[in-house]
Amino acid sequence: MPRGIFPVQAVPVGSLARDDVASPIIARVLLVAVAVCLPWSSDAPTAMGAILSRIFAVAQVLTILYWATQVRQPFVRAPASFGLFVVFVMAHTLVVYGLLSPSELFVSDYSAALGQEMGQVVSRAVVVAKFFGFVLFCYAVASIAGCDGHLTPIGLGLGVSLVALLALGRSEQLIDVSGRYTGGYANANAFAEVCVAALFFNVYTLFQTRSGRTVKMVALFLVAASAGGLLMSASRSALMAILVGISGVFAVASGRHRVLLVAITLAAIAIVMLIAPQNAFELVYRRSTESLVNLRSLIWGAYLQQWREYVPFGVGLGREMTTLSGPVFMDRIWPPHNTVLQVTVAYGVLGPVLLMAFMLACVRRAWRRARSIGGVSASAVALGLVLSWMTLMFTGDRLGARVFWLMLGMVFAILVTHNDAGQSERQGKGT
């Protein structure tokens, strides 16, 4: 790995903060609070969804404030390639809204694309602020998470909250017109992303010798619940992402741990068959085989036809839909529904190059670390997470998802350290 992609020297969590004793405790509380609130969307028709979504926003801000005021080297744990992407986006956004089109900052992209006012759609200023808020949150998580990314406490908090949402959601009928469980999100695929993260985090806990038997039983149930949520969402892209990610973990694991992965998968499937609605499997099958209009292909085709307008320099963050010359489907103009395509439209050809540069740097680093360690280490789970989200990037806008930035910060925290070889030795003694 070339120097500069990841820092050469690891920085212990305690040395990053002025209060060495309080730092790990504060970090864990903040990250667990974020994880517990993450599955809940303000779109949910329940008071709990709105409350926990607001608490998430508060916890996110507090995490950023803690990072900004207590961490001595706030950017050292993220790869330089990620910093280059962020600087490029920042400079591009300043040029677009500071020099070329300042009046368009407070206009909605939907309104601009359709040529009419839409009162319930957020302005581009909110889109820009949200993006850079997520970037700061990612840096904060990378700085305060431990060498294993706090995968176990975050996974347990996320999983337990997800189970509560599933139980409540059944009574609230959080199901769209096609029968897909949305978890209160406007899109079932967004709920599926949370299930992907919860599944990987709790798989890690199952392989840790320091996890007690009770914790492992809870983690196994949460893995099954996450898989059940995925099936209920009927998100084909998320199911494909899980398959790719787990395959990556399987490839770097040792023989014994591969057997355990297969056993855990079979146990999770058995639990899912007991707790998931019977029509969940049927729904996934129907969505995978029925002949319907492939909306994504129509959207991608419409954007690709206009490639000359955005490939050289891009149109700017939040202005992607103005590229289209007319409606795509059902008299609507749609976002790109593809992260790589969206970044190309927004920033030009250099955007996806820089995006894929830091994602591939994570894959390469995680692969090397996981292969050298063996077992299902934090690095192996980081590999699975990155592979999953790279798969998801080709089917939707992942840079607008809260869980993506939490995952990315944890991956950075895991891959910057150089001292989890001892953890692999503990794993080899028993699971």
Side-chain angles (χ1 to χ4, degrees):
M1 179 67 62
R3 180 168 183 159
I5 294 180
F6 279 90
V8 175
Q9 301 240 345
V11 182
V13 176
S15 67
L16 289 172
R18 294 172 190 147
D19 187 351
D20 293 348
V21 176
S23 175
I25 299 175
I26 294 176
R28 184 163 300 199
V29 169
L30 288 173
L31 293 177
V32 170
V34 165
V36 169
C37 298
L38 182 60
W40 299 80
S41 169
S42 58
D43 297 327
T46 63
M48 186 64 70
I51 292 172
L52 289 180
S53 184
R54 290 188 178 95
I55 294 176
F56 173 88
V58 172
Q60 178 184 356
V61 171
L62 290 176
T63 303
I64 294 172
L65 289 175
Y66 175 80
W67 165 76
T69 58
Q70 299 298 313
V71 175
R72 293 172 180 170
Q73 297 174 294
F75 302 104
V76 72
R77 284 193 150 205
S81 51
F82 175 70
L84 184 60
F85 173 74
V86 172
V87 170
F88 170 73
V89 173
M90 186 181 302
H92 193 283
T93 305
L94 286 174
V95 170
V96 170
Y97 292 116
L99 299 176
L100 301 179
S101 307
S103 61
E104 294 188 14
L105 182 60
F106 297 98
V107 177
S108 163
D109 202 29
Y110 284 92
S111 300
L114 296 174
Q116 58 187 9
E117 292 296 326
M118 300 181 67
Q120 296 184 345
V121 181
V122 298
S123 69
R124 289 164 176 158
V126 175
V127 174
V128 172
K130 180 180 177 181
F131 176 84
F132 287 106
F134 281 148
V135 167
L136 295 178
F137 178 61
C138 178
Y139 273 116
V141 172
S143 297
I144 68 177
C147 64
D148 65 349
H150 283 157
L151 285 170
T152 293
I154 291 177
L156 293 176
L158 183 63
V160 170
S161 186
L162 180 64
V163 169
L165 176 61
L166 288 169
L168 178 63
R170 294 299 299 167
S171 63
E172 294 293 338
Q173 298 297 309
L174 302 181
I175 300 174
D176 65 15
V177 292
S178 64
R180 302 173 63 188
Y181 185 80
T182 67
Y185 287 84
N187 189 321
N189 293 317
F191 170 73
E193 294 171 3
V194 179
C195 296
V196 170
L199 189 149
F200 272 107
F201 296 166
N202 285 290
V203 163
Y204 170 78
T205 300
L206 287 172
F207 284 86
Q208 301 313 297
T209 56
R210 64 175 177 266
S211 301
R213 182 171 297 180
T214 301
V215 172
K216 288 186 177 183
M217 292 298 295
V218 171
L220 178 60
F221 175 78
L222 297 180
V223 167
S226 302
L230 274 176
L231 287 173
M232 292 166 63
S233 72
S235 174
R236 293 167 294 182
S237 56
L239 289 169
M240 178 61 68
I242 280 289
L243 178 61
V244 172
I246 290 294
S247 297
V249 176
F250 187 85
V252 298
S254 59
R256 178 172 176 269
H257 288 90
R258 289 179 178 179
V259 174
L260 288 173
L261 272 174
V262 173
I264 289 170
T265 301
L266 294 176
I269 291 174
I271 296 174
V272 167
M273 294 181 69
L274 292 175
I275 65 177
Q278 293 182 354
N279 63 350
F281 295 93
E282 178 186 351
L283 181 60
V284 174
Y285 175 78
R286 187 171 71 247
R287 277 183 50 80
S288 302
T289 57
E290 63 189 1
S291 176
L292 294 175
V293 175
N294 190 332
L295 179 58
R296 285 193 180 96
S297 63
L298 295 177
I299 294 171
W300 298 340
Y303 277 95
L304 291 175
Q305 289 176 6
Q306 308 293 325
W307 67 270
R308 292 181 180 86
E309 298 182 17
Y310 58 79
V311 163
F313 305 107
V315 298
L317 175 60
R319 300 182 71 246
E320 294 88 351
M321 286 192 291
T322 56
T323 301
L324 298 181
S325 56
V328 175
F329 181 71
M330 296 180 64
D331 295 324
R332 286 189 59 184
I333 292 181
W334 301 76
H337 281 66
N338 183 311
T339 304
V340 178
L341 177 59
Q342 181 173 16
V343 171
T344 307
V345 176
Y347 312 116
V349 67
L350 192 56
V353 171
L354 296 176
L355 171 67
M356 297 308 293
F358 76 78
M359 293 295 288
L360 289 173
C362 290
V363 171
R364 184 180 178 187
R365 179 72 169 180
W367 176 271
R368 288 184 174 181
R369 290 280 306 284
R371 291 282 290 180
S372 64
I373 294 170
V376 182
S377 63
S379 297
V381 172
L383 174 66
L385 285 169
V386 177
L387 289 175
S388 293
W389 253 268
M390 287 184 69
T391 304
L392 287 168
M393 277 185 173
F394 289 94
T395 58
D397 172 21
R398 307 308 167 190
L399 300 187
R402 303 178 301 184
V403 65
F404 170 81
W405 296 98
L406 174 65
M407 177 278 304
L408 193 61
M410 294 169 66
V411 167
F412 290 164
I414 292 167
L415 298 184
V416 76
T417 57
H418 293 263
N419 56 359
D420 64 354
Q423 176 186 355
S424 175
E425 295 176 0
R426 293 193 299 271
Q427 288 179 350
K429 296 178 182 178
T431 300

